[in-house]
Amino acid sequence: VYGDIGTSPLYAMRECFFGSHSVPPTHENVLGVLSLIIYSLVLVISVKYIAIVMRADNQGEGGILALTSLLPRTANNGLGRPMLVLLGIFGAALLYGDGMITPSITVLSAVEGLTLATPIFNQYVVPIAVAILIVIFSIQKHGTDRVGRLFGPVMVIWFTTIAGLGIMW
């Protein structure tokens, strides 16, 4: 989640000015898009994650599976419990689908940035992305804390770079 918060604004900014429904990159449009992105980040982080998601837990454990486990065990005669169980299963399916596609898209998009430096990297984008994903998932099976120790400093460098370039410009 927190890695996506750092990269999603970059994709959104790119699509605003270079996508199929782009706007011209005038001074006013750049400021308008930046303000929309900043407001979206503030609202998503402060309202969605801090005020809602972080408070929904089951003895410190979060996520759709933990919330589904909180459903009352007693059967009632109505459709309430079965519908809640179905919603829990649907949410779990979305969680697993997101867990499969998000890392792939994030890593692939990041590696595609190499093609901006030089087109020589075009043929190596997919193999490099696959190699990175193999390394990440081989480390993750030993605990996500190891992934955090590896990529925590990388994320600090990334956010510092973004902040530095933003201040400079």
Side-chain angles (χ1 to χ4, degrees):
V1 167
Y2 299 108
D4 285 344
I5 290 172
T7 55
S8 296
L10 298 176
Y11 308 138
M13 177 68 89
R14 181 174 175 266
E15 287 303 309
C16 287
F17 297 112
F18 299 109
S20 57
H21 301 288
S22 63
V23 296
T26 64
H27 179 73
E28 291 80 15
N29 287 344
V30 170
L31 289 178
V33 168
L34 284 174
S35 67
L36 286 173
I37 289 173
I38 289 170
Y39 289 128
S40 297
L41 284 174
V42 168
L43 288 175
V44 166
I45 293 168
S46 63
V47 175
K48 180 181 175 185
Y49 290 124
I50 294 174
I52 299 171
V53 174
M54 298 298 257
R55 290 184 183 193
D57 69 353
N58 179 11
Q59 298 175 355
E61 296 296 322
I64 190 68
L65 299 176
L67 293 177
T68 303
S69 71
L70 291 174
L71 290 174
R73 306 248 182 256
T74 58
N76 58 14
N77 294 333
L79 289 174
R81 179 171 166 73
M83 284 304 294
L84 290 174
V85 170
L86 283 175
L87 286 173
I89 291 170
F90 179 70
L94 290 175
L95 171 73
Y96 289 126
D98 183 60
M100 288 188 304
I101 199 164
T102 298
S104 305
I105 290 174
T106 301
V107 171
L108 185 61
S109 298
V111 174
E112 281 178 337
L114 293 174
T115 61
L116 295 175
T118 177
I120 294 171
F121 287 112
N122 282 344
Q123 62 188 4
Y124 301 113
V125 167
V126 173
I128 291 171
V130 169
I132 290 171
L133 288 168
I134 288 171
V135 169
I136 290 171
F137 287 121
S138 65
I139 294 170
Q140 186 178 13
K141 70 180 181 182
H142 299 292
T144 55
D145 62 317
R146 292 190 183 191
V147 176
R149 274 191 249 138
L150 177 65
F151 285 100
V154 173
M155 293 304 295
V156 169
I157 292 169
W158 173 244
F159 286 125
T160 304
T161 302
I162 292 174
L165 290 172
I167 291 168
M168 185 174 73
W169 286 99

